Amino acid sequence: MAKKQEKDFKSIFRQVTKWQDLWFYQKSEALYQMTYVFCERFLPQYGDRTVDQMVQAARSGKQNIVEGSEDGKTSTEMEVKLLNVARSSIGELRQDYEDFLRSRQLHLWTTADKRFQAMQDFTQEHNRLADYEPFFQKWSAEEMANVGITMCFQIDAMMNSYLGKLEHTFVTEGGIKERMHAARTGYRQKQDARLAELEQAVPVLQQQLMQAQAEAAQWKAKYEDLKQRALNAYQQQQKEIERLKGEMG
């Protein structure tokens, strides 16, 4: 019964990619863990608010992706809002990494730096925490900060691409209200079509019933006729038996 009901209507919930499978989520998780280690290694643990700001910004980016993806099942609008919050948090984190480099006279790598392309290739090809974790205790402050900045840019670019797809989905499919209306309308249309199909079948079934009843009446008449013939034959036989007994008596 459950499978039949599933076919009768279209789900109002939007099909979304699991947040665990989103590349920008995977990279944001790696960025959060790397930021936590970065702050432990290169920033004072007490008296510097930058530590809390960077860790919270990295965590906000990661968590808002999760919440946005979950809310996206029913509300594209809410998913867009939360993903933009995540983008803002990642943007703040990028600024903190850049400030760290500037304040300590370290280099922000550009395409002119021979280390830039290798870093760019590595971060583009790897998203998962397991790919970055072996380097957390090996990279210098400058290396780690530049990797963090690059990851921030890449996460933002992937999220912008994803938001573009969400916009197209919203334009073509609408929000929860439109999907609820479409689901209800589709369900009613199927029910109406089924009702019309059943109503069209009624005259045919009535004709078949009348034909069956007529055939049954014919068979009944034949049965009564055969029954009466058998009874008459039996009675004639009994009379004949009595007559013969009388003659022989």
Side-chain angles (χ1 to χ4, degrees), residues 32 35-40 43 49-61 93 96:
Y32 167 67
T35 300
Y36 191 91
V37 176
F38 176 87
C39 291
E40 278 192 333
L43 290 172
R49 291 186 60 192
T50 305
V51 174
D52 289 338
Q53 290 173 351
M54 291 184 70
V55 172
Q56 288 302 317
R59 184 181 184 280
S60 173
L93 179 62
D96 285 331

Side-chain angles (χ1 to χ4, degrees), residues 39-75:
C39 291
E40 278 192 333
R41 290 184 63 195
F42 304 116
L43 290 172
Q45 297 303 301
Y46 303 99
D48 189 346
R49 291 186 60 192
T50 305
V51 174
D52 289 338
Q53 290 173 351
M54 291 184 70
V55 172
Q56 288 302 317
R59 184 181 184 280
S60 173
K62 177 176 72 76
Q63 291 302 114
N64 277 290
I65 292 172
V66 174
E67 294 178 22
S69 180
E70 289 294 328
D71 288 349
K73 295 174 183 177
T74 55
S75 175

Side-chain angles (χ1 to χ4, degrees), residues 99-249:
D99 289 343
F100 176 89
L101 292 175
R102 280 192 292 267
S103 64
R104 289 159 179 78
Q105 290 76 52
L106 299 174
H107 295 290
L108 175 62
W109 298 351
T110 64
T111 53
D113 194 296
K114 62 182 181 180
R115 297 167 292 184
F116 178 84
Q117 192 57 51
M119 174 193 65
Q120 188 80 354
D121 292 342
F122 178 82
T123 52
Q124 283 182 343
E125 293 173 3
H126 298 89
N127 298 311
R128 297 184 179 277
L129 173 61
D131 300 323
Y132 293 87
E133 206 164 21
F135 301 99
F136 286 174
Q137 299 298 331
K138 298 178 181 179
W139 281 329
S140 66
E142 183 175 301
E143 289 172 329
M144 214 165 187
N146 274 283
V147 169
I149 291 168
T150 302
M151 292 174 72
C152 287
F153 275 117
Q154 290 172 352
I155 291 170
D156 186 71
M158 286 190 286
M159 291 180 70
N160 273 322
S161 176
Y162 185 78
L163 286 167
K165 294 178 181 178
L166 284 183
E167 180 182 13
H168 179 265
T169 299
F170 182 79
V171 170
T172 56
E173 299 181 10
I176 183 66
K177 291 182 179 179
E178 289 82 358
R179 290 196 298 275
M180 289 175 68
H181 175 73
R184 180 60 179 166
T185 301
Y187 177 78
R188 287 297 302 273
Q189 288 175 344
K190 287 185 177 181
Q191 297 303 307
D192 291 344
R194 179 57 177 161
L195 178 60
E197 179 184 351
L198 293 174
E199 288 177 341
Q200 289 177 357
V202 168
V204 176
L205 293 174
Q206 288 178 332
Q207 182 64 33
Q208 292 175 347
L209 177 61
M210 292 174 63
Q211 183 178 352
Q213 289 174 336
E215 292 177 356
Q218 290 177 358
W219 280 107
K220 184 177 181 181
K222 289 180 180 179
Y223 167 77
E224 293 295 336
D225 181 59
L226 289 172
K227 178 182 175 182
Q228 189 60 47
R229 288 182 183 181
L231 180 60
N232 291 338
Y234 172 77
Q235 291 174 345
Q236 288 296 327
Q237 188 182 44
Q238 289 297 110
K239 288 180 180 179
E240 183 66 15
I241 292 172
E242 292 297 328
R243 184 183 69 77
L244 290 173
K245 285 181 177 181
E247 290 180 356
M248 293 174 63

